[in-house]
Amino acid sequence: MRERGASGLSYVAVAVIAALLVSGVALALTPASVSASLGSAVCQILQLPGCADAGGTPDDHEQTPYERATAGSAWFGGDSFASGEGIFSYDPATDTTTKTAPNECHRSGSSYQAQVFALARQRGAFASQDYASEACSGAIVSDLYSDNHLDNAGEGPQMYASPQPADASAPFDNVPEDASLITLSLGGNDVGFADVVKACITEGLAGSGCEDTDALRSRFQSVYGTRDQPGTLEQQLAKLRAEHPDARIILVGYPEMFAEQRDLKKGFFTTMSLEEQRWANEMARELNTAGSDMAERLGVEWVDPTSAYVGEGYDHRAGSSDPWINDLVGWGDSESFHPNQGGHDATAGLVWEQILTGGR
């Protein structure tokens, strides 16, 4: 018995010495630190139960996707699909056609971005900031670093405090250093998708219809890039990713817009035939694929909003019985073929779900 006890004590003594060596504190311990350091080291050697509660160092808390998104500040930007164009209720400063200071960015306080911010605020996040978005109807990639190309009054670069060249090395100083949530929709205007749809309508009245497939696909590549050649948007977002490596950067794509149930008409005129609607929806799918591929290369997140509008047993695209996308509002009206309030509500739900469950 005695020999076994001595052997046991010797084992423990050896373990303690080894533990001290492992902890790197052998003879440099202060009396106050002996207990915690020794306990932690012995636990490592002997793997005793309850070590985490008796001087061990538990693993750092792994942040949830929501905690990562709301650890700092929020920044919102992009084009009309982000600003709220199509809701018909805008911040008056962004809905004016005065000759001295025209601004038609059409930012709405009930856009999907505004709703996401409000949901986060309800849970106590972003308490030190008010909702603000740089999104502007008609925005293109160069508006991220240059003054608004449509000359909307007061609209400087979305991501810079002052205009910069496309390849500027200066940081995006209009994006908070502590930004943890960044969302935007962008690229559709560079691709010219809205112009193509308008051409489908206006030229369709003359019988020519949609005939821009190859040119449109080429512009997808120039904006969203390929594995061999980064696009214009990809280059800016790569810089944003590098400057904010821990932020949740969420890009929101563009929905399929047409229900493909019947020809769309304006008065006596057919504005979009079924064939043209199918073509436009296919182009939207290809655009979202290009955007999703770009996001994967960059290590950022991508949300395709199409599922908010159409799925098993429901269809809220233009031409359906309950559309969440405006039909042709008026000849040349910018709200045409943009999400209405129902569309922004549904998109907000998708983005919020991504915030709660997505991310790396």
Side-chain angles (χ1 to χ4, degrees):
M1 290 292 293
R2 203 168 163 183
E3 289 181 357
R4 282 200 298 268
S7 176
L9 289 173
S10 297
Y11 173 77
V12 172
V14 171
V16 168
I17 293 171
L20 289 171
L21 293 174
V22 168
S23 66
V25 294
L27 298 176
L29 293 171
T30 63
S33 66
V34 169
S35 177
S37 299
L38 182 59
S40 175
V42 170
C43 275
Q44 293 178 46
I45 296 296
L46 300 183
Q47 298 183 351
L48 299 176
C51 280
D53 298 325
T57 302
D59 292 337
D60 291 338
H61 167 68
E62 184 176 351
Q63 287 184 311
T64 66
Y66 172 78
E67 287 172 337
R68 285 188 55 234
T70 57
S73 301
W75 185 91
F76 304 103
D79 59 22
S80 57
F81 278 74
S83 71
E85 179 80 78
I87 295 178
F88 297 100
S89 175
Y90 313 115
D91 176 353
T94 67
D95 187 28
T96 175
T97 57
T98 60
K99 291 183 179 180
T100 55
N103 186 315
E104 295 183 85
C105 281
H106 287 173
R107 286 192 282 268
S108 173
S110 55
S111 67
Y112 81 77
Q113 292 183 332
Q115 292 189 55
V116 164
F117 183 82
L119 287 168
R121 284 292 296 269
Q122 289 174 12
R123 294 179 60 153
F126 310 131
S128 63
Q129 69 176 117
D130 296 323
Y131 171 70
S133 175
E134 300 290 337
C136 182
S137 182
I140 59 178
V141 171
S142 64
D143 292 342
L144 294 178
Y145 53 84
S146 300
D147 285 336
N148 183 267
H149 79 288
L150 295 175
D151 294 326
N152 286 297
E155 300 295 332
Q158 291 193 19
M159 289 188 173
Y160 281 111
S162 60
Q164 302 287 332
D167 59 352
S169 59
F172 288 126
D173 54 1
N174 207 33
V175 181
E177 289 185 13
D178 71 337
S180 57
L181 175 64
I182 297 172
T183 79
L184 68 161
S185 301
L186 198 63
N189 292 313
D190 298 81
V191 167
F193 193 68
D195 292 335
V196 171
V197 170
K198 290 177 184 176
C200 287
I201 296 170
T202 57
E203 295 174 12
L205 297 176
S208 58
C210 309
E211 298 177 351
D212 198 26
T213 305
D214 291 339
L216 193 57
R217 285 172 174 160
S218 177
R219 293 196 292 273
F220 289 165
Q221 293 185 359
S222 69
V223 174
Y224 297 108
T226 65
R227 292 194 178 277
D228 299 322
Q229 181 63 46
T232 55
L233 179 59
E234 185 172 8
Q235 292 168 2
Q236 299 304 313
L237 295 181
K239 183 172 184 289
L240 181 67
R241 171 81 287 171
E243 291 180 8
H244 298 274
D246 297 323
R248 297 280 304 280
I249 302 175
I250 302 176
L251 309 183
V252 181
Y254 301 90
E256 295 177 20
M257 291 191 286
F258 303 102
E260 303 179 15
Q261 295 178 6
R262 56 181 174 80
D263 289 347
L264 300 182
K265 295 180 178 293
K266 187 72 172 178
F268 294 104
F269 299 101
T270 296
T271 57
M272 290 285 282
S273 68
L274 281 172
E275 181 181 357
E276 290 168 338
Q277 292 174 54
R278 294 187 185 105
W279 175 86
N281 285 345
E282 173 58 30
M283 291 299 100
R285 287 191 288 271
E286 291 191 19
L287 183 154
N288 282 318
T289 297
S292 177
D293 289 346
M294 175 193 70
E296 183 177 0
R297 291 193 298 273
L298 292 171
V300 301
E301 301 170 52
W302 178 268
V303 172
D304 181 349
T306 298
S307 63
Y309 296 83
V310 61
E312 186 69 32
Y314 65 96
D315 192 339
H316 296 290
R317 296 172 295 179
S320 68
S321 59
D322 183 21
W324 288 349
I325 295 178
N326 298 325
D327 199 339
L328 186 65
V329 176
W331 300 108
D333 196 303
S334 58
E335 278 96 355
S336 299
F337 304 115
H338 278 79
N340 58 28
Q341 189 62 68
H344 275 273
D345 292 349
T347 302
L350 284 183
V351 176
W352 184 245
E353 181 182 6
Q354 178 72 15
I355 289 171
L356 294 180
T357 63
R360 62 183 190 281

